[in-house]
């Protein structure tokens, strides 16, 4: 049996930061992951997705400017983009392991499970640790209907050697929209089937309406109020069955993708044996990200049942907090205010702070400014038809409560609103700033 001061389960951004920082301060640390080191963001999500999106962003811009400023639309190649993505992804695990070795972190490559408090089974090894961190991230929610296991995941999508000619996404969240936009621009016929009345339910409805129009203009079929009941193989590939109005309807595609959301990857850890309380939302933790039932266990990232959004920057922040609380006893708490989030469609959709519904529920007195502004210079110079904003401003203080955007550079401009909310800036503060012009960021003075 091996003994450690700290053992980390999961090698994503949260786990990596915790392991390296604690080891650098003299703790004996071990880490394990049943998948290649790097986690979802670096290997199966954010980074490879953005690499694959680069060519589609160029195509989107060229399409807008075709017959106006340029003479044609460039062809983009899924295979070439995949090669570029693979070159980035393949070097990452070894690079991370070199970092662990440099810091004296023992590395394991097996699944983990509790056998009792402070004791883990790691492959064939028994591990005892004074402190254990669970940073296992999330994985695709299972589809609990006949043939649900026939659907592939976003991980599979990002590893297609050849892009399927037709795709159906089950679920209308950010994964579906990002990958649907990507696949459509690479030439695939795409359908999104969503059981709710509105897609992208965690985003502002006014902004969602704008991006929905753009989605439909890409010839992406968006089917709402429809819950899939069955997947089965067919000559075309797979057939989807649903009963939206009491009558069964069918759709066919070469491949089906499960984009119905993600759940914490904690349910095979035998947490009960470790006296670690959990729910379907994740491990129950106190304000210091420490298990409420086993004080020797900490949690960070998507595995935690906290108010933090399932975003890489949140996992990184929580990782730093957990490391600090292990090294210096519980002294730091996470701050989940003013955290921006983006849907990387083309154009992007971004949000930070309160939604209108949340502000109303809190009884706040505020004004709403919203508009669709494709006539503004930022959009007109690129011939971008989708450009809109909604901002929430507290009446008495003038402070920015929330901002919701779609359009060119929305993923960058939203960071200015995040800083404004975090810093307590008022609409007057923003309006009196001197910003570069012409630039997308200079538009914020007209949004408040």
């Amino acid at each position: 049996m091996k003994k450690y001061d700290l053992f980390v389960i999961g090698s994503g951004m949260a786990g990596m930061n915790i392991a390296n920082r604690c080891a650098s301060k003299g703790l004996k640390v071990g880490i394990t992951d049943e998948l290649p080191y790097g986690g979802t963001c670096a290997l199966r999500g954010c980074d490879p997705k953005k690499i694959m999106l680069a060519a589609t962003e160029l195509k989107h811009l060229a399409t807008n400017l075709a017959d106006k400023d340029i003479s044609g639309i460039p062809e983009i190649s899924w295979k070439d983009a995949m090669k570029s993505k693979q070159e980035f992804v393949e070097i990452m695990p070894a690079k991370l392991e070199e970092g662990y070795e440099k810091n004296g972190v023992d590395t394991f490559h097996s699944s983990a499970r509790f056998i009792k408090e402070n004791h883990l089974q790691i492959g064939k090894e028994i591990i005892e640790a004074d402190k254990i961190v669970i940073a296992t991230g999330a994985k695709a929610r299972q589809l609990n209907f006949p043939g649900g296991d026939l659907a592939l995941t976003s991980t599979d999508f990002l590893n297609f050697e050849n892009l399927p000619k037709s795709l159906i996404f089950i679920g209308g969240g950010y994964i579906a929209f990002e990958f649907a936009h990507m696949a459509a621009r690479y030439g695939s016929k795409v359908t999104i089937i969503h059981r709710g009345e509105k897609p992208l339910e965690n985003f502002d409805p006014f902004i969602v309406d704008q991006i929905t129009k753009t989605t439909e203009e890409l010839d992406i079929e968006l089917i709402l109020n429809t819950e899939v009941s069955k997947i089965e193989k067919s000559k075309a590939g797979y057939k989807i069955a649903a009963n939206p109005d009491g009558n069964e309807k069918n759709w066919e595609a070469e491949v089906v993708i499960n984009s119905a959301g993600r759940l914490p990857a904690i349910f095979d850890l035998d947490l009960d044996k470790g006296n670690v309380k959990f729910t379907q939302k994740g491990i129950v933790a106190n304000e210091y990200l420490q298990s409420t039932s086993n004080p020797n266990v900490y949690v960070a990232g998507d595995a935690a049942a906290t108010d933090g959004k399932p975003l890489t920057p949140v996992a990184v922040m929580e990782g730093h907090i957990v490391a600090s609380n292990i090294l210096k006893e519980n002294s730091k708490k996470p701050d989940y205010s003013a955290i921006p989030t983006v849907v990387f469609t083309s154009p992007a959709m971004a949000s930070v702070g309160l939604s209108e519904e949340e502000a109303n529920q809190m009884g706040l007195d505020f004004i709403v400014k919203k508009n669709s502004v494709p006539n503004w210079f930022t959009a007109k110079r690129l011939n971008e038809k989708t450009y809109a904003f909604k901002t929430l401003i507290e009446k008495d203080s003038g402070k920015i409560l929330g901002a919701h955007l779609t359009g060119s550079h929305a993923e960058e401009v939203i960071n200015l609103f995040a800083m404004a909310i975090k810093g307590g800036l008022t609409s007057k503060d923003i309006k009196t700033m001197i910003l570069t012009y012409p630039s997308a960021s200079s538009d914020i003075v007209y949004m408040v």
Side-chain angles (χ1 to χ4, degrees):
M1 182 171 64
K2 293 185 177 180
K3 292 188 176 183
Y4 291 93
D5 298 318
L6 169 67
F7 198 88
V8 180
I9 307 172
S11 71
M13 296 302 294
M16 178 187 70
N17 283 315
I18 295 166
N20 282 329
R21 184 177 173 195
C22 288
S24 70
K25 298 298 182 181
L27 270 59
K28 182 173 175 55
V29 178
I31 190 168
T32 192
D33 202 316
E34 60 186 325
L35 297 171
Y37 281 11
T40 298
C41 184
L43 303 181
R44 302 176 293 278
C46 325
D47 293 346
K49 171 190 71 183
K50 281 288 283 179
I51 292 172
M52 297 297 294
L53 282 170
T56 70
E57 292 165 356
L58 173 64
K59 184 175 183 179
H60 173 66
L61 179 59
T63 301
N64 286 349
L65 297 177
D67 301 323
K68 181 177 181 180
D69 295 295
I70 61 175
S71 59
I73 301 171
E75 291 186 9
I76 59 175
S77 166
W78 177 269
K79 280 196 170 184
D80 289 344
M82 182 63 64
K83 180 181 177 182
S84 179
K85 185 270 292 186
Q86 283 300 111
E87 289 172 354
F88 171 86
V89 167
E90 287 173 356
I91 64 171
M92 188 60 64
K95 187 177 179 180
L96 295 178
E97 290 210 53
E98 288 176 11
Y100 290 133
E101 184 178 358
K102 183 178 179 180
N103 286 314
V105 178
D106 287 352
T107 55
F108 296 78
H109 295 273
S110 298
S111 60
R113 63 182 182 86
F114 281 89
I115 51 178
K116 58 181 179 178
E117 287 192 24
N118 291 53
H119 287 75
L120 298 167
Q121 178 89 45
I122 310 294
K124 295 181 180 180
E125 296 267 10
I126 303 296
I127 299 296
E128 180 183 356
D130 294 335
K131 303 290 184 187
I132 294 171
V133 170
I134 300 172
T136 46
K139 59 183 179 181
R141 183 191 302 271
Q142 288 186 339
L143 299 176
N144 295 316
F145 50 74
D149 58 328
L150 296 174
L152 301 181
T153 68
S154 58
T155 299
D156 299 311
F157 178 92
L158 287 172
N159 285 308
F160 283 139
E161 184 175 341
N162 296 294
L163 182 66
K165 293 180 180 178
S166 57
L167 288 156
I168 292 175
F169 290 87
I170 298 177
Y174 74 95
I175 293 175
F177 271 71
E178 289 178 342
F179 288 177
H181 274 230
M182 184 194 303
R185 288 191 169 95
Y186 275 111
S188 184
K189 172 58 183 169
V190 181
T191 302
I192 299 173
I193 301 177
H194 182 59
R195 64 181 182 180
E197 291 184 10
K198 288 274 189 180
L200 296 162
E201 293 161 349
N202 294 325
F203 292 85
D204 181 83
F206 172 68
I207 301 299
V208 170
D209 285 344
Q210 316 301 314
I211 210 68
T212 296
K213 292 175 185 175
T214 302
T215 300
E216 292 171 341
E217 286 169 1
L218 279 171
D219 292 327
I220 295 170
E221 186 177 8
L222 180 58
I223 300 165
L224 304 175
N225 294 309
T226 300
E227 188 159 4
V228 174
S229 58
K230 182 171 60 176
I231 304 174
E232 57 186 10
K233 293 182 179 180
S234 69
K235 288 183 178 180
Y238 296 93
K239 183 169 73 172
I240 301 291
N243 298 277
D245 52 11
N247 298 312
E248 183 173 291
K249 293 186 178 180
N250 296 292
W251 294 266
E252 287 192 276
E254 190 176 333
V255 169
V256 179
I257 302 291
N258 172 9
S259 54
R262 294 168 68 80
L263 290 174
I266 60 172
F267 303 111
D268 56 357
L269 297 177
D270 287 345
L271 294 173
D272 290 332
K273 293 180 181 178
N275 190 30
V276 178
K277 186 178 179 181
F278 66 97
T279 69
Q280 286 296 303
K281 293 183 178 180
I283 291 167
V284 181
N286 63 19
E287 57 192 348
Y288 300 106
L289 299 174
Q290 179 184 41
S291 166
T292 57
S293 54
N294 183 344
N296 294 318
V297 172
Y298 287 80
V299 60
D302 295 354
T306 68
D307 293 331
K309 295 178 180 178
L311 302 169
T312 298
V314 173
V316 172
M317 174 188 70
E318 291 181 345
H320 287 304
I321 288 170
V322 166
S324 181
N325 288 339
I326 290 172
L327 292 167
K328 302 176 182 178
E329 299 186 352
N330 290 347
S331 57
K332 288 191 175 183
K333 305 173 186 178
D335 177 4
Y336 297 118
S337 63
I339 295 174
T341 183
V342 177
V343 180
F344 285 101
T345 46
S346 290
M349 183 174 73
S351 176
V352 67
L354 299 178
S355 67
E356 189 173 354
E357 182 181 3
E358 289 169 336
N360 282 321
Q361 290 174 350
M362 294 170 67
L364 298 176
D365 190 13
F366 63 98
I367 61 173
V368 174
K369 291 195 171 187
K370 71 175 184 178
N371 205 355
S372 174
V373 287
N375 58 315
W376 284 10
F377 181 76
T378 295
K380 283 188 75 70
R381 77 178 188 89
L382 301 174
N383 200 28
E384 178 58 71
K385 298 177 180 62
T386 304
Y387 193 29
F389 69 91
K390 177 190 277 191
T391 53
L392 282 58
I393 303 163
E394 192 170 34
K395 277 188 179 179
D396 289 342
S397 68
K399 289 183 178 179
I400 313 302
L401 300 176
H404 312 275
L405 316 172
T406 184
S408 299
H409 307 297
E411 72 277 18
E412 303 292 347
V413 175
I414 200 68
N415 289 324
L416 298 181
F417 280 108
M419 287 191 286
I421 295 172
K422 192 78 168 179
L425 298 184
T426 67
S427 60
K428 184 177 180 181
D429 292 328
I430 292 175
K431 285 177 180 178
T432 55
M433 287 181 179
I434 304 298
L435 301 171
T436 60
Y437 179 87
S439 65
S441 58
S442 69
D443 286 348
I444 68 172
V445 300
Y446 306 108
M447 296 178 179
V448 296

